């Protein structure tokens, strides 16, 4: 099968300009779709900023590099495990391993290389944060199999993809862990919400292949389900802010993010793949708005 620029590629010109082997490895690590590393990075920034680490710009940059590398490593691992399923899904059939352009042995080598970059980032953290970061490995390893055994694999993804909250928090502080826990729980619900939107693109294929997704489980109630997840996320973020700074004015910092999430819900068109992809990608802005709120409250 020849290489294709997949529909949700964001940097088509850049990816298309790469020589074919390089393009395959770039697509395997999803370097052509930066939304994934932003969604992995923002929870790290939230934990760091709300814990009072606003002066640690060095750590923010390390977290960004780590998010790019480890999101890439996670995608490579996922594609190795899911190669047989990917061949049966229209949107993923052209992925490098599923299409046979990259062997699993070469993919494992690429995965190890990306993990070595992640190791460099890990060594920049204090030992407590290193232990917390390593605690995510078991969650990451199990995630690709969850779609085979549950109708809500997005819940497990939420645990994995927002683990940066405790890592970022513990990197600079070990106090008020209740606020950290509330921030993390809210991030998990946020992730379940936006990945439910993303799963709307594959609902028919997932049903045919026989794998689970929250979009399938919710059926006609996707919009209401996403609204519930987002509402829960906002409530838990508000709790985190209150535990850190019990002042009603502090909660106003979440208003821009709340309005943005409300816009996603009200304009979501169930059954429109392009609309779902755009609303999913809009969470890059949500992440920034929550980061600014964490910076305001954590720095007050």
């Amino acid at each position: 099968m020849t290489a294709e620029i997949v529909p949700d590629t964001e940097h088509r010109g850049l990816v298309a300009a790469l020589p074919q082997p390089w393009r395959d490895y770039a697509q395997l690590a999803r370097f052509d779709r930066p939304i994934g590393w932003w969604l992995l990075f923002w929870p790290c920034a939230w934990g760091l900023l709300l814990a009072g680490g606003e002066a640690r710009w060095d750590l923010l940059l390390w977290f960004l590099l780590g998010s790019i590398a480890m999101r890439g490593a996670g995608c490579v691992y996922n594609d190795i495990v899911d190669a047989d399923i990917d061949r049966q899904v229209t949107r993923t059939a052209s992925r490098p391993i599923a299409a046979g352009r990259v062997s699993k042995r070469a993919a494992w080598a690429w995965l190890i290389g990306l993990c070595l970059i992640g190791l460099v980032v890990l060594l920049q953290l204090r030992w407590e944060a290193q232990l917390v970061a390593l605690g995510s490995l078991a969650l990451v390893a199990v995630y690709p199999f969850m779609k085979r055994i549950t109708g809500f694999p997005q819940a497990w993804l939420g645990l994995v993809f927002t683990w940066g909250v405790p890592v970022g928090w513990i990197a600079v502080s070990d106090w008020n862990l209740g606020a950290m826990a509330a921030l993390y729980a809210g991030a998990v619900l946020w992730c379940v919400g936006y990945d439910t939107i993303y799963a709307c693109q594959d609902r028919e294929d997932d049903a045919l292949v026989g794998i689970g997704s929250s979009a399938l489980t919710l059926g006609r109630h996707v919009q209401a389900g996403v609204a519930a997840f987002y509402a829960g996320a906002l409530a838990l973020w508000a709790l985190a802010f209150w535990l850190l700074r019990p002042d009603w004015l502090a909660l106003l910092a979440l208003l821009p993010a709340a309005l943005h999430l409300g816009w996603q819900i009200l304009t979501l068109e169930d059954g429109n793949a392009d609309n779902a992809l755009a609303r999913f990608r809009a969470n890059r802005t949500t992440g920034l708005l929550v980061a600014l709120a964490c910076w305001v409250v954590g720095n007050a």
Side-chain angles (χ1 to χ4, degrees):
M1 182 180 293
T2 59
E4 299 177 12
I5 306 298
V6 294
D8 52 350
T9 290
E10 292 187 64
H11 297 310
R12 293 172 179 268
L14 180 61
V15 173
L18 292 173
Q20 185 57 61
W22 292 11
R23 185 191 307 172
D24 288 333
Y25 287 100
Q27 289 184 308
L28 188 56
R30 311 291 196 274
F31 289 160
D32 56 327
R33 282 171 277 176
I35 179 60
W37 75 59
W38 284 115
L39 294 175
L40 191 61
F41 165 74
W42 284 125
C44 301
W46 300 349
L48 180 73
L49 294 172
L50 193 60
E54 65 279 350
R56 297 301 308 273
W57 292 100
D58 58 324
L59 279 183
L60 280 176
L61 293 175
W62 280 116
F63 281 142
L64 180 58
L65 176 61
S67 297
I68 294 171
M70 296 314 296
R71 185 270 188 142
C75 289
V76 175
Y77 174 65
N78 189 78
D79 284 8
I80 291 171
V81 173
D82 282 352
D84 291 339
I85 291 177
D86 286 346
R87 294 187 186 101
Q88 303 176 62
V89 177
T90 302
R91 188 177 57 81
T92 60
S94 63
R95 286 179 176 173
I97 298 177
R101 300 193 307 276
V102 174
S103 69
K104 288 190 176 182
R105 177 177 295 182
W108 278 112
W110 181 217
L111 171 62
I112 292 171
L114 291 168
C115 287
L116 289 176
I117 297 174
L119 177 61
V120 172
V121 175
L122 183 71
L123 294 176
Q124 310 309 310
L125 307 177
R126 63 178 187 153
W127 69 267
E128 295 94 336
Q130 290 176 3
L131 292 179
V132 173
L134 291 173
S136 69
L137 294 181
L139 295 173
V140 173
V142 172
Y143 168 67
F145 303 97
M146 298 307 292
K147 65 175 71 73
R148 296 165 169 83
I149 61 176
T150 177
F152 244 100
Q154 280 71 20
W156 196 268
L157 180 69
L159 296 174
V160 173
F161 227 67
T162 62
W163 194 260
V165 169
V167 175
W169 189 289
I170 299 299
V172 295
S173 175
D174 56 5
W175 69 286
N176 208 333
L177 299 184
M180 181 199 75
L183 184 67
Y184 173 58
V188 171
L189 290 181
W190 172 62
C191 180
V192 175
Y194 70 61
D195 204 59
T196 296
I197 294 175
Y198 188 76
C200 288
Q201 300 176 92
D202 297 330
R203 190 153 39 191
E204 293 182 2
D205 285 330
D206 287 348
L208 289 172
V209 175
I211 56 177
S213 84
S214 54
L216 280 174
T217 300
L218 290 169
R220 294 177 299 171
H221 306 293
V222 163
Q223 197 166 22
V226 172
F229 296 133
Y230 282 172
L234 287 165
L236 285 163
W237 292 336
L239 175 60
F241 284 14
W242 186 264
L243 291 173
L244 187 70
R245 194 167 304 281
D247 184 339
W248 291 106
L249 289 177
L251 303 185
L252 291 178
L254 284 171
L255 182 58
L259 292 173
H260 185 72
L261 291 173
W263 166 80
Q264 287 185 42
I265 296 164
L266 292 174
T267 61
L268 178 63
E269 298 176 10
D270 193 12
N272 184 333
D274 291 337
N275 174 275
L277 181 60
R279 299 304 173 274
F280 165 73
R281 285 178 176 166
N283 282 280
R284 177 165 33 200
T285 301
T286 309
L288 173 60
L289 293 174
V290 176
L292 291 174
C294 290
W295 174 75
V296 168
V297 176
N299 194 41

